[in-house]
Amino acid sequence: MTTTSGTAKVTLPADNQILITREFAAPRANVWRAYTEPELIKRWWAGKKGTVTSVVVDLRVGGQWRYVMTANAGFEVAFHGEFRAVDAPSRLVNTEAFEGVPDPDGTAGLVTVTLTEKDGRTYLEALCEYPDGAIRDMVINSGMESGMQESYDALEQVAAAL
């Protein structure tokens, strides 16, 4: 199968939104598992930026999640949120808060991930909606795209190996 390394596309459909689309060389069921199972998330979430030290996933509506990594430079990075919708293996809606800002929950985004499959390949669409354009721009300017590209490349490798 042809891999799709570094091919996630980032667009800005509205002043408070980021839309990420990417194709994975793996079936949807495998991408879903890699995206939602803690032991598999540990293998891809940090990309090449560091080492995942903790993954907690309570995969149900109202359930909490939290990912923590130690970056290669030695500092800790953590995100957390709550699941709002869980429709395996096609749709996941959750909040996402970066713990490195003064008011993580006040700046949290709402992320809707949709997975579709065609010919054994999975198409991901992740719509990230933020409270306002300034927060969206802060996310864009944080360097999130390079980290996301690395993470999604690693996610593809994990999902393809299942």
Side-chain angles (χ1 to χ4, degrees):
M1 285 186 137
T2 304
T3 60
T4 50
S5 295
T7 60
K9 182 178 176 186
V10 176
T11 57
L12 308 175
D15 68 353
N16 70 325
Q17 297 178 336
I18 300 170
L19 178 63
I20 302 164
T21 56
R22 191 185 191 286
E23 177 182 348
F24 293 90
R28 177 172 70 173
N30 292 13
V31 174
W32 177 267
R33 282 188 58 209
Y35 201 88
T36 60
E37 293 181 15
E39 290 308 311
L40 298 176
I41 294 165
K42 288 177 184 176
R43 293 170 46 192
W44 65 264
W45 184 69
K48 297 176 183 174
K49 303 283 188 210
T51 303
V52 177
T53 57
S54 176
V55 174
V56 174
V57 175
D58 182 6
L59 191 62
R60 62 181 175 84
V61 173
Q64 304 293 309
W65 67 271
R66 186 169 187 258
Y67 304 166
V68 182
M69 68 175 261
T70 299
N72 293 333
F75 58 89
E76 188 174 271
V77 177
F79 288 82
H80 71 265
E82 177 183 302
F83 293 107
R84 301 282 176 86
V86 179
D87 302 311
S90 59
R91 187 169 169 269
L92 189 65
V93 180
N94 59 269
T95 60
E96 179 179 82
F98 172 55
E99 295 179 11
V101 296
D103 180 18
D105 293 317
T107 59
L110 182 68
V111 181
T112 301
V113 174
T114 306
L115 301 174
T116 56
E117 183 176 341
K118 182 178 178 186
D119 299 327
R121 297 178 76 81
T122 301
Y123 299 85
L124 173 142
E125 180 177 287
L127 179 63
C128 310
E129 300 176 272
Y130 298 94
D132 59 45
I135 296 169
R136 190 264 334 247
D137 291 347
M138 179 182 70
V139 172
I140 288 290
N141 294 327
S142 72
M144 62 74 70
E145 185 173 356
S146 69
M148 178 268 306
Q149 293 285 3
E150 287 183 9
S151 293
Y152 278 1
D153 288 352
L155 170 60
E156 180 176 55
Q157 292 172 359
V158 170
L162 293 176

